[in-house]
Amino acid sequence: MHPLAAAELAAAGSPGSGTPFRATTGHVHRTWARTFSSLPELYIQPETEAEVEKAVALARRCGRRVVVTGCAHSPSDLTCTSSWMLNLDRLARVVAVDAARRVAVVQAGMRLYALCDELARHGLAMANLGSINQQSVAGAISTGTHGSSARHGLVSEDVVALRLTLASGLTEFCSADVRPDLFRAALLSLGALGVVTEVTLRAVPAFSLSWRQTIDADAALFAAWEDPPGRLWAQSEFVRVWWFPYTRRAVVWRADKTTEPERDPPPSYYDRSVGYYVYHNLLYLAQWAPPILPWVEWFVFGMQYGFANGSATAAVQPGPKALLMNCLYSQFVNEWAIPLHRGPEALRRLGSWLNHLTPDDPGYVAHGIPFSAAGLYVHAPVEVRVSDTTLTPSPRPFLDPTVDDGPTLYLNATLYRPYFRDPPCRRRYYQAFEWLMRDMGGRPHWAKNFDARRPDIEAMYGKRLDEFRRVRHQADPDGMFVGPWHRQRIMAAGVELELEEVETARRDAPGGGLRTFGRVS
């Protein structure tokens, strides 16, 4: 470390320095899925907003970048760094809850499950959740987390106001009325704007969900989808689908609010130890024998959901519990947002490609995918969800990936990493999947494993990306919060930043790819 930096840090940690600077060395940062790892120079865990401001001010004086992390559930390298890492897990308290107005103010590092528990104590709940609740509040907002409902948009639509520590070391308040451009950028900032320290959000009365899931042929799914258009997604407040490409079947999960007494579902095959390890070991075996994957899909998901069309499961659970899904194992996730009405076409084309169908085969459609599927076998299912950002009066984030003028469909192609080993199908499958999603007019989910780079992103977002860049530059002209991931995807070409950091190597290992970084001086 440079002598000046060492002197600054020594002064920061001295007894008379006032605000603490809680930093350690030697921390290895890993994503939840162990898809990427990095070795930050300092790992900082502030407990107050003043400590965040001090850390940012010190980073500026020492010429260091700052990367903010929560639970690291994103499988991408968005938060990897060799510079300073600021973890918000200790900035995780409830500031205030106004049950009458249904408004809560919380620190940004609070995990969603803790927030849901705290709201429940006041008779409240979050209106909308994704499939997991491990993320920090700031992380969920900053990456565009969404749920499974055509009556809701992004989770950030319920954010009323934010406090954000900028590169200056000063914390700013923003909302729809106060610094609205900063607010729109901060609602989906990708960590490139500053450090979100406090979030004010709307809640709803606590609710239970009565849900039912049914498995059937995907032809029935498409019929409900297309006649009349969108009927499938309008029949309940929450709807999500799992589509199985090899068996051409789908599970449709529907849920509505209810006052019925709670009723647990039958124990899940996944959640039992036998089912969990059987599936995991079958995936591992498929690393060397990929052609067994269609059989694995038939067997494992038949055990989970039923082998006969029409098999159904139902339950009544608290809303925050009913909306959750078991993520199972380490995984890559490639998810894109496309117009809702194009969903059946996208799934039929993907199915034709994966199943190597010819014009003489039933169910064939011309897929147009310019990559061969010969010898390729993938994991299943594809998760299918929906949202509609256009329904909310809340400001739309500049980098909102959803459709501009109607409901949005999300297609999620998950590939597991059994025992932390990359599946052999990943490169070609994701090449083809992304080509199809671009052809459908799609945009990638920011937190996932997509390959789209700057020219693609510029074409997808146009002037909204320009506006985000303008606000971002005003807040952080030297690039304190901009890393290699951002420069490859959202920063303008040729932009010179005082603070830079570039990737120098990636070492693949059974425990997950270790990504190391070097500094540019």
Side-chain angles (χ1 to χ4, degrees), residues 33-36 75-77 246 286-287 290 293 330-334 350 353-354 371-372 375-379 413-418 420-435 448-451 453 489 506-509 512-513 515:
R34 297 199 175 188
T35 42
F36 295 99
S76 80
D77 57 340
Y246 295 124
Q287 297 285 95
L293 283 171
S330 170
Q331 58 198 245
F332 291 109
V333 185
N334 201 341
L350 185 60
W353 182 76
L354 286 172
F371 304 98
S372 172
L376 183 78
Y377 297 91
V378 305
H379 301 164
T414 295
L415 289 175
Y416 291 115
R417 303 178 63 247
F420 301 111
R421 294 186 179 273
D422 292 0
C425 60
R426 178 171 67 100
R427 184 176 299 276
R428 192 157 32 123
Y429 181 35
Y430 279 177
Q431 252 186 340
F433 181 73
E434 291 200 21
W435 183 93
K448 311 303 184 183
N449 298 110
F450 64 91
D451 289 329
R453 292 297 190 265
R489 292 167 177 84
R506 171 177 172 169
R507 178 169 60 81
D508 291 318
R515 192 180 280 271

Side-chain angles (χ1 to χ4, degrees), residues 447-481:
K448 311 303 184 183
N449 298 110
F450 64 91
D451 289 329
R453 292 297 190 265
R454 180 189 301 113
D456 301 302
I457 302 299
E458 289 175 337
M460 293 169 188
Y461 285 88
K463 291 182 179 180
R464 286 203 281 129
L465 179 58
D466 293 337
E467 286 297 290
F468 178 84
R469 287 169 171 170
R470 175 184 61 80
V471 177
R472 202 221 67 77
H473 181 75
Q474 290 172 350
D476 177 25
D478 297 328
M480 176 180 288
F481 299 103

Side-chain angles (χ1 to χ4, degrees), residues 40 101 122 129 183 259 322 386 472 485 487:
R101 295 176 55 234
H122 295 270
L129 275 173
F183 186 59
T259 57
V386 66
R472 202 221 67 77
W485 188 97
R487 288 200 302 278

Side-chain angles (χ1 to χ4, degrees), residues 315-442:
V316 177
Q317 295 178 299
K321 183 177 182 180
L323 293 170
L324 299 183
M325 188 184 75
N326 188 344
C327 287
L328 296 176
Y329 323 111
S330 170
Q331 58 198 245
F332 291 109
V333 185
N334 201 341
E335 183 176 40
W336 285 62
I338 67 173
L340 178 62
H341 71 275
R342 305 204 69 179
E345 177 192 352
L347 294 179
R348 285 177 175 131
R349 290 172 65 181
L350 185 60
S352 281
W353 182 76
L354 286 172
N355 287 295
H356 318 118
L357 299 185
T358 68
D360 296 329
D361 293 319
Y364 169 80
V365 297
H367 54 73
I369 297 174
F371 304 98
S372 172
L376 183 78
Y377 297 91
V378 305
H379 301 164
V382 172
E383 187 180 27
V384 186
R385 292 182 288 168
V386 66
S387 74
D388 194 341
T389 307
T390 64
L391 297 177
T392 175
S394 302
R396 182 186 181 94
F398 289 122
L399 297 184
D400 181 353
T402 60
V403 174
D404 295 337
D405 56 359
T408 295
L409 185 75
Y410 300 90
L411 296 182
N412 181 335
T414 295
L415 289 175
Y416 291 115
R417 303 178 63 247
Y419 298 103
F420 301 111
R421 294 186 179 273
D422 292 0
C425 60
R426 178 171 67 100
R427 184 176 299 276
R428 192 157 32 123
Y429 181 35
Y430 279 177
Q431 252 186 340
F433 181 73
E434 291 200 21
W435 183 93
L436 179 61
M437 293 298 98
R438 289 188 184 95
D439 197 51
M440 296 278 101

